[in-house]
Amino acid sequence: MSDLRQVGDCFTARGLLTPAAAAALVTEGLAAIQGTEVVTLDAAAGRILAEAVVAPRSLPPFDHSAVDGYALALRPSAEQADRFKVVGRVPAGRPMQSEVAPGNAVRIFTGAALPAGCDTVVMQEHAEVADGFVVPRRSYRAGDNIRLAGEDVAAGVTILPEGLLLDARHLALLAASGLSSVVVRRRLRIAVISTGTELRAPGEDLCEGAIYDSNRIMLLALLRHPAVDLVDGGIIADEGAAIVAAIDRAARSADLVVTSGGVSVGEEDLVRSSVEAAGGSLLALRIGMKPGKPLAFGRLGRAAILGLPGNPLAAMIGFLVVAKPLVSRLVGLSPTGLRIRSAVAGFDRDVTPGRMEFAPASIIRNPSPDRPVVDTLGRGGSARLLPLSMADGFCVIPADVQTVRQGDAVGFVPIGDLDLFR
Ligand code: AMP
Ligand code: MG
């Protein structure tokens, strides 16, 4: 784990880490997990290629027609002939066995192999057929409407690089190349634990002073991905021994343990002391953002430990700013840093400067799509879930701003950026 001093110029005026510096701090020096497995293509979407893929064959595999029409066998050095005798018919998948003699033509369909002897294909819209002859109605040249073998992919070239996050496009290319499986990196194992004596699982009775655990299901949903193997670590009460046992157990099987709650400096905030009691180390990060200032990062055995704050919006912002780049790094993708878009304030607000503020916001007008006008939702509380659930994204107010007036430039992070590897 890196030392805080290495990112010395990354603090805000009040000695808080900037969000970008916090992301750099947790990702620096972390290696991607090792290990590969072979999966069939139907299980490969969202997995990460562990080896570059070399084309086993050319694409297309043979010269074929790009249209429905007539393949013509031209006479050597003849002028544009006016008619060709139709001597055969080749649908896709039923190649012609014999060569077509000069002056003859073949009815051909899209995807059908170009018969030997044919030089060009005339679209059916540009041809007339009468008495067994086809008459081209437009001028044509050799090679028209023909897709040549290997014009997309030449056999032997690298078609997909190692480390690629596979999506539908790549699977199509692999399938077209005749490959039925690929070597991918093993899944990153992430355990998610909620800490808090007050927490109950939905479905349980609530006694006085208790609330339902919303972070665990939220974080599990944010982290769910084909490249990730999730472990639900449940709810752990704020009791040192219980937290030590839970984090220790999780760290033995997971590559990353994500906890929520218990990371500020209150005396009930036991995550740090528990990780240390279990033999690990946890660094308290104070990040210049609101919400989500207290966050903890460290190691226990081979596992990385990320302690997010308990407040659900704070946990979500911590996920956005720190967990996403951390997970990307661990799976071997380049870290997806926070990308703050340009937006225009549709509200007035006085803010206490010093921390970058993230507020659930909706897009109220979209005069130009790359600069939406946004309004914050549900003022007065980072603990509120209803505004968050209705937001189009997060309005971002820079740390040095004291007043926001309608029309001012602000930042915006669309809700879709919560996608793990976006
Ligand atoms: P903490 O970070 O533990 O001090 O918690 C901050 C606030 O978030 C408190 O009001 C907690 O009750 C609340 N909180 C902590 N964990 C959760 C959770 N898993 N789900 C919902 N609220 C939580
Ligand atoms: Mg707590």
Side-chain angles (χ1 to χ4, degrees):
M1 196 177 73
S2 354
D3 190 303
L4 267 179
R5 279 161 300 201
Q6 292 171 345
V7 284
D9 55 349
C10 300
F11 294 95
T12 65
R14 295 160 156 213
L16 303 173
L17 280 167
T18 63
L25 183 71
V26 301
T27 53
E28 263 168 22
L30 262 196
I33 55 163
Q34 302 291 311
T36 64
E37 59 181 314
V38 177
V39 294
T40 55
L41 288 196
D42 59 343
R47 302 299 300 270
I48 298 159
L49 260 190
E51 294 172 357
V53 178
V54 171
R57 52 175 57 79
S58 294
L59 290 179
F62 48 85
D63 297 351
H64 67 265
S65 179
V67 296
D68 290 346
Y70 294 86
L72 310 181
L74 305 180
R75 288 193 190 82
S77 70
E79 295 293 293
Q80 303 263 316
D82 50 5
R83 52 182 223 154
F84 295 79
K85 185 169 188 218
V86 180
V87 297
R89 187 173 186 279
V90 278
R94 294 180 167 275
M96 192 144 157
Q97 301 305 327
S98 55
E99 187 164 339
V100 180
N104 287 345
V106 166
R107 177 75 169 122
I108 197 166
F109 298 89
T110 306
L114 188 75
C118 291
D119 312 283
T120 187
V121 176
V122 174
M123 291 174 73
Q124 61 191 19
E125 293 84 344
H126 299 162
E128 265 170 35
V129 185
D131 305 329
F133 285 84
V134 57
V135 180
R137 285 295 171 215
R138 303 245 174 122
S139 66
Y140 52 82
R141 282 171 311 172
D144 283 351
N145 299 312
I146 295 169
R147 294 197 192 113
L148 295 174
E151 86 179 16
D152 186 6
V153 174
V157 303
T158 298
I159 49 175
L160 299 174
E162 194 250 307
L164 184 72
L165 181 61
L166 293 170
D167 66 30
R169 300 167 298 156
H170 313 124
L171 300 187
L173 179 57
L174 291 165
S177 302
L179 296 167
S180 58
S181 60
V182 272
V183 185
V184 296
R185 298 196 183 142
R186 75 166 172 88
R187 296 193 287 167
L188 179 73
R189 201 165 159 89
I190 306 178
V192 178
I193 295 173
S194 287
T195 72
T197 304
E198 75 280 26
L199 301 177
R200 298 291 179 276
E204 289 179 6
D205 287 339
L206 273 192
C207 56
E208 203 185 325
I211 59 168
Y212 286 117
D213 172 13
S214 49
N215 287 348
R216 195 161 39 103
I217 197 72
M218 176 183 83
L219 291 168
L220 287 167
L222 289 168
L223 292 163
R224 186 160 289 121
H225 190 278
V228 171
D229 181 17
L230 285 174
V231 182
D232 184 346
I235 298 170
I236 311 298
D238 295 312
E239 288 156 20
I243 301 183
V244 173
I247 294 183
D248 190 52
R249 178 162 22 89
R252 282 174 200 279
S253 73
D255 304 295
L256 170 65
V257 180
V258 178
T259 65
S260 72
V263 288
S264 49
V265 286
E267 58 189 41
E268 292 298 320
D269 293 325
L270 294 165
V271 169
R272 184 176 183 184
S273 56
S274 304
V275 169
E276 283 168 358
S281 62
L282 205 67
L283 184 66
L285 304 182
R286 294 172 65 244
I287 309 177
M289 63 186 194
K290 186 182 170 186
K293 178 170 90 170
L295 218 133
F297 177 69
R299 298 206 75 93
L300 177 55
R302 288 209 308 275
I305 314 283
L306 179 66
L308 297 172
N311 165 328
L313 177 61
M316 179 169 270
I317 300 300
F319 167 84
L320 182 71
V321 171
V322 175
K324 275 185 59 176
L326 173 60
V327 170
S328 294
R329 171 55 58 90
L330 286 173
V331 297
L333 296 174
S334 45
T336 43
L338 183 68
R339 275 181 302 141
I340 302 175
R341 324 288 210 276
S342 300
V344 177
F347 59 93
D348 296 316
R349 174 126 159 227
D350 294 327
V351 283
T352 321
R355 291 197 275 157
M356 181 184 278
E357 188 169 331
F358 293 79
S362 61
I363 294 174
I364 53 173
R365 280 195 308 282
N366 227 337
S368 71
D370 50 353
R371 263 188 120 229
V373 180
V374 300
D375 195 6
T376 55
L377 296 163
R379 245 149 260 187
S382 56
R384 296 183 57 191
L385 284 170
L386 186 59
L388 177 59
S389 74
M390 294 187 299
D392 297 315
F394 302 102
C395 178
V396 183
I397 302 171
D400 55 359
V401 166
Q402 298 198 18
T403 56
V404 180
R405 294 289 169 260
Q406 290 193 35
D408 286 357
V410 288
F412 185 68
V413 177
I415 214 77
D417 279 13
L418 288 170
D419 284 2
L420 192 54
F421 297 127
R422 179 181 280 189

